[in-house]
Amino acid sequence: MEWQTLGVEPVLTPDEMAAVDAAASERMGDLVQRAGGAVARSALGLLGGGYGRRAHVVAGPGNNGADGRVAAELLRRRGVRVSIGDHADSIPADAALDLVIDAAFGTGLSRPYAPPDLPGDVPVLAVDIPSGLDGRTGGFCGAPWRATATITFAALKSGLLLGHGPEFCGRVEVADIGLSVEAEVGTGDHLTRALITNGDVGRCWPRRAADAHKWMSAVWIIGGAPGMTGAAALTAEAAGRAGAGYVLVSAPPTVGSRSSTDDGRDVAGGHLPGAPLPVETVVRSLAATGGVDGWPHTVADEQRVGALVIGNGLGCGTLVLDGVVRLLALSDAAVVLDADALGAGGARLLDACAHRRATTVLTPHDGEYEALMGEAPGDDRLAAAARLAERSGAIALLKGPTTVVAAPDGRVRLSSAGDQRLATAGTGDVLAGVIGAALALGEGDALTTVAVAAHVHGTAAMGGPATGFRAGDLPKLVGAALDDLVR
Ligand SMILES: NC(=O)C1=CN([C@@H]2O[C@H](COP(=O)(O)OP(=O)(O)OC[C@H]3O[C@@H](n4cnc5c(N)ncnc54)[C@H](OP(=O)(O)O)[C@@H]3O)[C@@H](O)[C@H]2O)[C@@H](O)CC1
Ligand SMILES: Nc1ncnc2c1ncn2[C@@H]1O[C@H](COP(=O)(O)OP(=O)(O)O)[C@@H](O)[C@H]1O
């Protein structure tokens, strides 16, 4: 999916769109006329003109089909030779078509639909959403055509952004047909659901004040057990590149051990041997705080730390879970729990999160989600993220091609920045560092801060090579993306 915008972009589910529709002061016939006009304009753009072009409209029984019929008539007036069939009719194979308009079903699709065969390689313009996609989840409800472009009305629909939506909807255009969605889903930070855009990063990324000092945006990373020191190093590098003023790293305690790093820095009670930490990193011993098991019982300097990031290369086990749960209770700072901190926990971790007053962020991929919640997220990723946020009282960031970020108050933000080049080990560690830095820097709306951090992370990746991209490439790209997006 191609997407470029500078504004706040509401995202609606089909149910919300139906409510907007029901509350409209205008007759449906007038809305359909406007929607059909927008479809015709978009079609003329794809056709590169009107006179002499050939188009076929697949028109279904509902309003989506009505939009298609209006568009067909308008295109005829512009000299396009238009044929129309209903959703079950085959498309004439002899016609040398320049465009097919998919107006079979929109958000009212209620049973699986497979469209007729396309005659060859003809471009497809989908009306509202490709027919055969679920308007809420983007899951298949049939076998949709892959559209060249999709024109949707009033606002984005969640099914365009999730599941198969991005792959099947092509370039997306939102047409204003005179409907206001504000009453249904709110505005600004209060929007129930929104897609994060580059403009949101410029507006919301927390800036350092002119009189700032380094401790005003300190991030403390707890991770980097033996064999996984690179994870903590990636998080530390990312936090620094995203603007943290001070980055501390503590390795988790290893039972009965006392060791020092290759470069001589003492990390009693834990290992960071050979960790390729950025030279600016301060390595801090957890055990020095005097806990019998090597985990802190008090948090020295804690009030100076803006955000803790716990879990990257942390290792799993009961001792780790005990330590994480204790830190959650001790700390009044924002905490990001990622990677091993999520795999260790389940209900006990969720309860510890629920007792916190300060911001907590959980950043699971699907496997970690299942470890936390006892069930996989399933097809409805909006509902899955919302369940985790509600259960934990934390901001839940569910990773995937489209990142879904949910707050306990029911609001959701989506980011579709980035692509499959991020599917490589360690990119999640980088994301945790970027989120940690953003939280340490700012006191804005935590949901927006976390979602904007995810958007920066995805946008940064697009500056890297399509092949052979490594997580280690990403922190510097984060710095460059922020330079571009934040002015
Ligand atoms: N303000 C707005 O929102 C505006 C919305 N507009 C447009 O309207 C669309 C929403 O309209 P809509 O509710 O009529 O839904 P739509 O998808 O056209 O058809 C549903 C019908 O199809 C039927 N049906 C379902 N699946 C089926 C299947 N597999 N095979 C066969 N039949 C099936 C279903 O039947 P039922 O389930 O009731 O048996 C029902 O009769 C929206 O996406 C946008 O394009 C614009 O016009 C302007 C303003
Ligand atoms: N196909 C994809 N398209 C876009 N983003 C992706 C894709 N696969 C993974 N990502 C992103 O890459 C990151 C991977 O995180 P994670 O699975 O925790 O990796 P790791 O644990 O190895 O650091 C997440 O931000 C995720 O959203």
Side-chain angles (χ1 to χ4, degrees):
M1 187 180 83
E2 293 168 44
W3 185 255
Q4 274 225 323
T5 178
L6 289 177
V8 175
E9 283 298 330
V11 176
L12 272 67
T13 62
D15 286 350
E16 287 163 351
M17 196 60 223
V20 168
D21 183 18
S25 54
E26 291 168 279
R27 291 182 314 121
M28 186 47 119
D30 294 336
L31 296 172
V32 167
Q33 283 298 322
R34 279 189 216 138
V39 173
R41 274 192 298 283
S42 187
L44 287 169
L46 285 169
L47 286 166
Y51 188 76
R53 311 299 202 276
R54 290 206 59 163
H56 182 82
V57 180
V58 178
N63 289 324
N64 199 254
D67 300 340
R69 288 191 180 83
V70 170
E73 184 50 37
L74 294 170
L75 289 170
R76 277 193 191 115
R77 287 189 212 157
R78 293 295 297 269
V80 181
R81 290 158 69 200
V82 187
S83 50
I84 302 191
D86 85 11
H87 60 282
D89 290 345
S90 54
I91 301 175
D94 55 336
L97 293 173
D98 300 302
L99 183 69
V100 169
I101 297 179
D102 167 9
F105 299 102
T107 48
L109 183 74
S110 52
R111 300 185 287 288
Y113 170 66
D117 289 339
L118 276 178
D121 212 7
V122 57
V124 172
L125 172 62
V127 178
D128 213 21
I129 188 165
S131 305
L133 276 187
D134 183 293
R136 178 181 168 96
T137 66
F140 288 136
C141 182
W145 287 325
R146 208 177 282 266
T148 312
T150 296
I151 180 156
T152 197
F153 309 117
L156 291 166
K157 313 298 164 353
S158 50
L160 296 172
L161 302 167
L162 294 165
H164 300 288
E167 194 189 334
F168 277 75
C169 62
R171 180 172 44 79
V172 176
E173 181 188 345
V174 180
D176 180 358
I177 56 169
L179 284 172
S180 166
V181 302
E182 272 183 38
E184 181 62 24
V185 295
T187 52
D189 278 349
H190 301 292
L191 262 169
T192 311
R193 207 173 305 95
L195 177 70
I196 297 293
T197 65
N198 289 350
D200 291 326
V201 181
R203 222 168 27 84
C204 304
W205 184 264
R207 274 91 165 158
R208 260 188 214 161
D211 60 350
H213 62 73
K214 64 192 175 209
W215 277 104
M216 287 177 166
S217 50
V219 175
W220 180 15
I221 295 155
I222 300 174
M228 293 179 295
T229 50
L234 286 167
T235 308
E237 174 80 16
R241 296 287 177 191
Y246 205 110
V247 180
L248 296 143
V249 175
S250 300
T254 316
V255 185
S257 84
R258 195 180 165 79
S259 66
S260 36
T261 57
D262 289 355
D263 60 4
R265 287 177 289 182
D266 184 19
V267 286
H271 294 258
L272 279 173
L277 288 172
V279 292
E280 301 84 359
T281 312
V282 176
V283 176
R284 168 192 272 193
S285 162
L286 276 188
T289 55
V292 284
D293 53 3
W295 286 87
H297 278 232
T298 57
V299 193
D301 276 348
E302 133 72 17
Q303 68 282 7
R304 304 180 78 186
V305 171
L308 273 82
V309 181
I310 309 176
N312 305 92
L314 186 69
C316 299
T318 316
L319 269 183
V320 166
L321 179 58
D322 288 349
V324 173
V325 166
R326 194 182 310 146
L327 271 173
L328 284 172
L330 283 174
S331 174
D332 291 327
V335 175
V336 181
L337 295 180
D338 188 36
D340 293 342
L342 302 171
R348 207 178 139 208
L349 191 74
L350 296 174
D351 288 342
C353 293
H355 281 101
R356 298 195 82 231
R357 277 212 304 267
T359 300
T360 313
V361 183
L362 304 171
T363 58
H365 59 52
D366 284 20
E368 290 157 349
Y369 182 98
E370 191 166 356
L372 280 172
M373 294 288 279
E375 59 176 15
D379 282 346
D380 190 340
R381 299 181 78 78
L382 295 177
R387 277 197 303 277
L388 176 56
E390 195 187 351
R391 167 70 179 84
S392 62
I395 290 174
L397 181 151
L398 183 55
K399 291 170 176 171
T402 296
T403 300
V404 181
V405 193
D409 63 12
R411 291 175 304 144
V412 172
R413 299 292 176 265
L414 305 167
S415 172
S416 48
D419 68 7
Q420 58 274 21
R421 77 195 73 188
L422 279 167
T424 181
T427 54
D429 301 320
V430 172
L431 175 62
V434 178
I435 296 171
L439 290 170
L441 277 163
E443 291 171 1
D445 175 57
L447 172 70
T448 307
T449 303
V450 172
V452 157
H455 189 79
V456 168
H457 173 259
T459 306
M462 301 309 280
T467 308
F469 180 71
R470 293 188 306 124
D473 300 335
L474 195 46
K476 255 193 181 163
L477 292 166
V478 165
L482 282 168
D483 260 359
D484 266 3
L485 297 173
V486 181
R487 297 195 183 276

